[in-house]
Amino acid sequence: MTSLDYSLQQEVAVIAFASPPVNSLGHGLRSALVEALERAKRDDKVAAVVLIGANATFCAGADIKEFGTSAMSRGPGLPTLNATIESLGKPVVAAIEGVALGGGLELAMSCHHRVAQSGARLGLPEVKLGLLPGAGGTQRLPRLIGIENALNIMLSGEPLPAKMFQGSPLLDAVVDHDLLDTAIAVAKQSAAAHQAGSRLPRARDLKIRELDLQALCQFARNTVKTAFKPYPAPAAIVDAVEYGAQHGFAAGLEEENRLFRGLLVDPVSASLRHIFFADRAAARIKDLSPDIKPSAFEKVAIIGAGTMGTGIAINFLTAGIETRLLEVNQEALDRGVERIQKYFEGRVKKGKLTADKAQGMAKNLVPVLDYAQISDVDLVIEAVFEDMAIKKSVFSQLDSVMREGAILATNTSTLDIDEIAATTKRAEDVIGLHFFSPANVMKLLEVVRGKKTSLQVLATAMALAKKIRKTAVVSGVCDGFIGNRMINQYSAQALAMLEEGASPQQIDAAIEKFGFAMGPFRMSDLAGNDIGWHIRKRQLAEGKLTRTSLIADRLCELGRFGQKTGAGWYDYRLGDRHAHVSEVVEKLIAEQRTASGVSTRSLDDAEIVDRLVFSLVNEGAKILQEGIAQRASDIDLVYLTGYGFPIWRGGPMHYAESRSLYEVARRMREFATLPSADEAFWQPADLLQQCIAAGHGFDGGAA
Ligand code: 3HC
Ligand code: NAI
């Protein structure tokens, strides 16, 4: 709800506005501000104006929810609001607390003076939404702090502390206390000077002093074109700045507006805005009331000091949390501890951590061999071998020693969490915390909710994820949860295309060109081809798979597990991770094709990409339909943060919507008619068909 309070403090009109939680400049607030400013202009008793956020923050910019809707173009727009301030004829002072971001900082820069609280953060983060500052930011900021500084701020999008601008024309004053009083004092002083004949200071009137304008802009343009290849906004920022510096403020504003409108309808911005909201939506659990507060946690224990256990431990140690590490024997424990110590030493060597800080973090590590030494912790995460019998034995020991109320988590990537929970007398305290490898690097954490997991445990797991800076996505229990269940279909499709005539390098190159960080064969070589082999064998035995890939199985029978064995789908040379095309694999593929009597054909890149991506989409739709994922945007987040899906495409489900769900289903039906196609595989999921019939997207929005 927008609110605005207009009060007089002697001859100064104080306009305190609020549009919680972050005072974004939606239509309601823009209208109210223009109205209040015009009132102050008309009132002869008013000599100056102070603009301040009523709720301890100034403004986080334009209302992103309005983008692409009719509300965005409902007058007054932000440029009109800013022009109203500039031409008010009375000094306007922005009093900045909390944040002044995007359109919020642009609003402040249109004011004649700016005063900030020392803890405030200022920035133009539009680039992170695939946009440029579209309300004068590309024109006013360079005039206030110089082109190079302004470009750095706009291209990084990072908010900076107000203190950094102390002494620059961007801020008249930075104060620790009494923000409003200082702003009123500045307003009075300015009004007096104005009445005595001084011109009101305006950013637009400042001269740009940059001798090497063209060279600087060309350098910036070249840099961003390499660093942000698929993203159009960074180059547009440079263009807008250069144009305004060459042709003057008014022409610069027009050019900025033209570029902003172009970016707004670009699919890259649509994807980045989708991710902004997806990121925040993922933290919301539909049946979790805000009254359920997370329990406190101070101490954790990790069982198993292998690849995952040590990576998981590093997360907690980095967050300053006491972490006990438990292993089966001293030797395994020592190996794990050494790996963790090496990690912290490496951070110091690379200059990422001071020796003191690293020591402080590592000091919280407590290696143990006995369950009795972990019984008092708040959370225990099991990361032992992926074997149901071993996991069950660990959980029954945990059940007997852990304190009442402790959370018992498993890092299993495939096993049934409900079955593991059933070995305890406290299934409500059992949850899956599925980290991704390397666990200290990957942002994604699938929080797997068992049938009996309590809401309290779920709330605590989400809070814990935030504390260790992970992107948490809630998943229900199923084989592979959200991410791996989908990747299994993607891998199956990659292997099917191999049999039909494509080579590993062709498939990898096509999907990498689409934007994936790594193609399926290079990825499998990195993770270990034996992992997929074991999964296929288990799924065949459980009847979840009707046919296996003979080529992939044969590859594993030859011991070609990937990088770790120096050979997989590709050949690897010692000390070199580069993938070299393998004659052995080419021969193996040819032999298997002959043996299975498949007539091969050539596949083009468009077919390869669509088959890979739409296999993810169809499984994603089933996952959504079954309630395993709460929303399609959660699935996108899983793929963006855990599987290297190209960020600028917004995730598989968003990408499918951007291609039109109708077109996606039509392609699936086309694939079902290909020679040697698995028709059932390409049957569009019920939910996909329902969305098409209803004319909306997976989460109910535009298709
Ligand atoms: N518009 C609409 N909603 C916004 C918003 C915005 N600019 N900024 C934040 N919100 C919403 C969030 O979606 C979230 O909503 P929810 O509670 O329903 O999920 C709520 O405000 C709180 O946001 P956070 O969860 O992110 O809260 P934090 O306290 O962690 O962070 C923040 C606050 C630093 C302001 C962060 O929200 C942020 O960085 N916001 C985006 C700022 C931004 O990109 N501004 C530029 C907008 S584009 C623009 O101004 C164009 C102009 O140049 C023309
Ligand atoms: P790993 O083989 O590297 O480590 C397992 C460790 O557990 C070994 O050090 C072993 O000594 C120890 N261990 C075995 N039984 C134990 C017991 N009863 N008590 C204490 N310690 C015991 O295995 P990794 O890769 O770390 O995997 C662990 C778990 O994480 C598995 O469930 C796996 O599915 C899961 N996972 C693995 C990922 C990966 O990429 N490696 C990714 C996500 C999850």
Side-chain angles (χ1 to χ4, degrees), residues 123-170:
L124 292 174
E126 286 87 344
V127 72
K128 295 185 179 181
L129 300 171
L131 298 168
L132 53 63
T138 64
Q139 305 305 310
R140 292 191 179 91
L141 193 61
R143 284 171 170 78
L144 286 162
I145 62 169
I147 291 201
E148 196 174 343
N149 288 336
L151 278 177
N152 284 338
I153 288 173
M154 288 187 275
L155 293 174
S156 77
E158 284 305 315
L160 295 169
K163 276 189 174 158
M164 276 187 63
F165 302 104
Q166 200 155 16
S168 83
L170 183 59

Side-chain angles (χ1 to χ4, degrees), residues 283-604:
R284 285 195 285 272
I285 299 170
K286 288 182 179 163
D287 54 342
L288 182 66
S289 137
D291 299 338
I292 301 181
K293 302 287 176 225
S295 315
F297 56 85
E298 285 167 5
K299 291 172 263 183
V300 303
I302 318 284
I303 319 262
T307 311
M308 294 307 288
T310 50
I312 296 169
I314 289 169
N315 286 301
F316 288 99
L317 293 167
T318 305
I321 297 171
E322 181 184 323
T323 307
R324 308 203 189 145
L325 191 62
L326 186 146
E327 256 293 348
V328 274
N329 58 47
Q330 191 65 49
E331 205 188 331
L333 189 59
D334 290 346
R335 259 201 315 272
V337 170
E338 194 186 329
R339 204 173 302 158
I340 293 171
Q341 277 165 348
K342 281 226 167 85
Y343 165 81
F344 284 112
E345 281 163 23
R347 301 293 288 170
V348 175
K349 269 195 201 127
K350 285 185 195 149
K352 307 261 180 196
L353 268 183
T354 63
D356 273 3
K357 271 203 174 147
Q359 257 169 22
M361 288 171 180
K363 205 175 67 204
N364 272 327
L365 178 66
V366 186
V368 300
L369 286 169
D370 186 354
Y371 278 76
Q373 291 170 280
I374 63 165
S375 61
D376 62 328
V377 304
D378 308 303
L379 160 75
V380 52
I381 304 175
E382 163 281 306
V384 305
F385 300 134
E386 187 76 341
D387 179 300
M388 186 53 105
I390 303 180
K391 302 248 187 222
K392 280 183 173 175
S393 114
V394 168
F395 270 78
S396 62
Q397 287 184 78
L398 290 175
D399 193 27
S400 62
V401 301
M402 298 307 296
R403 71 162 179 81
E404 201 182 311
I407 298 177
L408 314 185
T410 168
N411 182 47
T412 179
S413 22
T414 51
L415 300 176
D416 184 340
I417 286 167
D418 294 325
E419 195 179 331
I420 296 174
T423 60
T424 72
K425 289 186 274 317
R426 37 170 127 180
E428 66 284 1
D429 293 335
V430 177
I431 194 164
L433 291 179
H434 185 212
F435 289 80
F436 287 70
S437 182
N440 53 302
V441 176
M442 297 297 288
K443 288 293 284 175
L444 179 61
L445 176 65
E446 279 182 325
V447 174
V448 189
R449 179 178 185 176
K451 275 201 190 81
K452 295 194 176 157
T453 307
S454 77
L455 288 169
Q456 181 70 47
V457 166
L458 199 55
T460 309
M462 296 304 279
L464 164 155
K466 213 170 175 182
K467 178 113 186 163
I468 58 170
R469 305 167 83 96
K470 296 288 176 198
T471 300
V473 175
V474 176
S475 169
V477 176
C478 66
D479 198 333
F481 315 126
I482 298 174
N484 284 345
R485 173 168 157 185
M486 285 166 69
I487 209 76
N488 286 344
Q489 303 303 321
Y490 167 95
S491 304
Q493 213 33 230
L495 293 170
M497 287 191 279
L498 210 58
E499 285 178 17
E500 289 169 44
S503 66
Q505 52 276 18
Q506 187 197 355
I507 296 172
D508 280 351
I511 198 76
E512 285 165 17
K513 201 163 144 211
F514 174 80
F516 263 81
M518 221 181 254
F521 296 100
R522 287 212 298 135
M523 187 171 88
S524 187
D525 272 358
L526 181 68
N529 296 318
D530 48 324
I531 295 180
W533 192 30
H534 289 309
I535 293 174
R536 287 196 300 279
K537 281 199 268 194
R538 178 180 57 77
Q539 288 185 333
L540 270 176
E542 291 170 358
K544 289 179 182 163
L545 203 65
T546 48
R547 62 195 279 256
T548 182
S549 164
L550 296 174
I551 300 178
D553 290 355
R554 184 82 192 101
L555 187 86
C556 289
E557 281 156 18
L558 293 175
R560 297 184 67 102
F561 292 162
Q563 287 193 17
K564 61 185 172 190
T565 55
W569 291 107
Y570 297 93
D571 289 339
Y572 299 90
R573 293 172 194 149
L574 206 63
D576 167 21
R577 285 185 174 193
H578 192 75
H580 299 273
V581 173
S582 164
E583 280 178 22
V584 178
V585 172
E586 282 183 338
K587 193 160 157 269
L588 182 145
I589 293 172
E591 280 168 7
Q592 289 301 325
R593 282 177 186 155
T594 313
S596 51
V598 180
S599 53
T600 57
R601 61 187 179 89
S602 78
L603 286 80
D604 63 22

